[in-house]
Amino acid sequence: QVQLVESGGGLVQAGGSLRLSCLASGRTFSWYAMAWFRQAPGKEREFVAAVGWSGGTTIYADSVKGRFTISRDNAENTVYLQMNSLKPEDTAVYYCAASRVVTMKSEQFPYWGPGTQVTVSS
């Protein structure tokens, strides 16, 4: 089992930045690829970014490429999502998730955090 807890969400103006953190506990953090997903009201959950176990492999959704950066610190059991140039359409609940594979498919992530709200005002 892996337990995940997100933090760092909040209210920010368009063009601003936020950094989300996700602290993992339980099984060895470095065994897992980590990802961020988001879900806006009335919409399906969508992939945002993923990082491999060593941090050397990263993938991004086209909608956030060049604005968001995913990273991890295995010594701190934490994965981060640095979000810059935020837009109102980035407003959503952001979830971190853990998987044994680097993938964009939510069904391949067995472990999820409770989520953190990000609101971007125009």
Side-chain angles (χ1 to χ4, degrees):
Q1 287 288 341
V2 177
Q3 292 79 43
L4 304 171
V5 179
E6 304 92 341
S7 61
L11 174 64
V12 64
Q13 288 189 331
S17 297
L18 280 176
R19 189 175 81 155
L20 305 183
S21 301
C22 174
L23 178 63
S25 60
R27 291 198 171 180
T28 304
F29 178 68
S30 60
W31 290 356
Y32 294 89
M34 300 296 297
W36 290 93
F37 290 79
R38 67 187 182 186
Q39 188 167 18
K43 296 188 177 181
E44 293 187 354
R45 189 172 297 185
E46 65 173 356
F47 171 79
V48 175
V51 60
W53 66 271
S54 70
T57 300
T58 56
I59 51 176
Y60 295 93
D62 287 344
S63 59
V64 306
K65 212 171 284 185
R67 300 188 298 122
F68 291 10
T69 302
I70 188 170
S71 62
R72 65 189 296 160
D73 184 338
N74 287 344
E76 297 293 330
N77 287 359
T78 302
V79 61
Y80 302 98
L81 185 68
Q82 178 66 44
M83 306 186 294
N84 299 329
S85 303
L86 282 161
K87 305 175 181 180
E89 51 264 43
D90 295 317
T91 295
V93 177
Y94 283 72
Y95 300 90
C96 76
S99 172
R100 296 302 299 267
V101 296
V102 182
T103 178
M104 300 170 62
K105 299 178 180 180
S106 61
E107 62 269 24
Q108 293 187 291
F109 287 83
Y111 305 112
W112 292 82
T116 186
Q117 176 71 47
V118 171
T119 302
V120 184
S121 63
S122 57

